[in-house]
Amino acid sequence: MDLIQLQRQLVDYRTSLYHEGFLDEQFTQLQSLQDENNPDFVVEVVSLFFEDSERLLNELSKALEQQIIDFKRMDAQVHQLKGSSSSIGAHRVQKLCIVFRNYCEVHNVEGCLKCLQQVKHEYGIIKTKLESMFQLEQQILNAGGSIPV
Amino acid sequence: MLSSGGGSDSCSKDMAVELGDEPHVLVVDDSLIDRKLVERLLKNSSCKVTTAENALRAVNYLRLGNDTLEGTVSEVNMIITDYCMPGMTGYELLKKIKESSVLKEVPVVIMSSDNIPTRINQCLEEGAKMFMLKPLTRSDVKQLKWHLMKCRS
């Protein structure tokens, strides 16, 4: 695939992520913070988000396996996940966290379990999509091109 | 989204940001992602930035409560703190800063990911300069800088 095609593919891919509600305006804000002095800013921040999320999702799974469920602690963890997903523009994950917190508040175990599954699912999707996007960007850079805005 | 506090707009000469100086902002947040984001936003706006991962570290950095050392740290022109933090909250940090005779004039901005009117009012009443919803945007930072710069005599 030539450079122009790669660049077009990236723009289309990115547009679809916004269109389908995977990403929101905050991701654009994030990209605008990247420049020649900070060329890896987006990848760095998104990598932190991946690490954070995986840790939190693990902890939430464990919490829901306990005999006595610590809803307060879970709520704090979902709050963290909501915060970081909001900060990078991971729209669907953020929205699910809001629902999740509501279930925590009313101590609804079934609701929490269902939400956790949904969040894990959406997280998996956005992770894959962002990694694909970064790969495309890298291909463009390797071909000597620049990333279209 | 910004909410502005009332209160005195007078700035002492010490707090005035000289033409050409980079304002020094202390950012307090337990989220590494948010610290990075706010830091980059501020640095892109020609601010010098120090970050602290919780309120206690901010208290130590500012030497709050230590009469002889308070204010001797590299002069901080503004403090931006998250509200929800483990241990001491941003609100409690705000109170501590306002209790300090040296640091009480430093504008404090509270950030939160939750839009809770009672929380906002509580912070503004305690003397917060502004309350901002996370995630911060470039226009939020522009407003912050304007607030800092207007203290120039």
Side-chain angles (χ1 to χ4, degrees), chain A residues 26 29-30 32-33 35 38 41 44-45 48-49 52 79 82-84 86-88 101, chain B residues 30-34 36-37 40-41 44 82 84 113-114 119 134-139:
Chain A
Q26 178 58 20
Q29 286 275 335
L30 199 67
S32 73
L33 291 174
D35 56 28
N38 300 278
F41 185 71
E44 279 171 16
V45 176
L48 284 175
F49 167 69
D52 238 21
H79 173 82
K82 173 173 154 277
S84 53
S86 161
S87 292
I88 70 143
R101 284 191 84 189
Chain B
D30 59 317
S31 159
L32 176 55
I33 290 172
D34 289 339
K36 266 192 168 325
L37 272 176
R40 184 100 311 275
L41 276 166
N44 283 3
D82 189 22
C84 280
S113 48
D114 296 318
R119 176 183 291 183
K134 287 165 119 180
L136 263 60
T137 61
R138 284 206 315 218
S139 60

Side-chain angles (χ1 to χ4, degrees), chain B residues 93-112:
Chain B
L93 176 61
L94 167 68
K95 283 205 285 191
K96 267 200 143 58
I97 292 166
K98 291 304 168 190
E99 277 161 22
S100 151
S101 50
V102 176
L103 289 161
K104 68 175 188 241
E105 294 302 327
V106 178
V108 181
V109 174
I110 310 269
M111 306 183 277
S112 178

Side-chain angles (χ1 to χ4, degrees), chain A residues 33-58:
Chain A
L33 291 174
Q34 183 163 295
D35 56 28
E36 326 77 60
N37 298 325
N38 300 278
D40 301 314
F41 185 71
V42 178
V43 172
E44 279 171 16
V45 176
V46 172
S47 301
L48 284 175
F49 167 69
F50 290 161
E51 277 172 38
D52 238 21
S53 303
E54 276 154 41
R55 176 183 57 88
L56 288 165
L57 289 171
N58 269 335

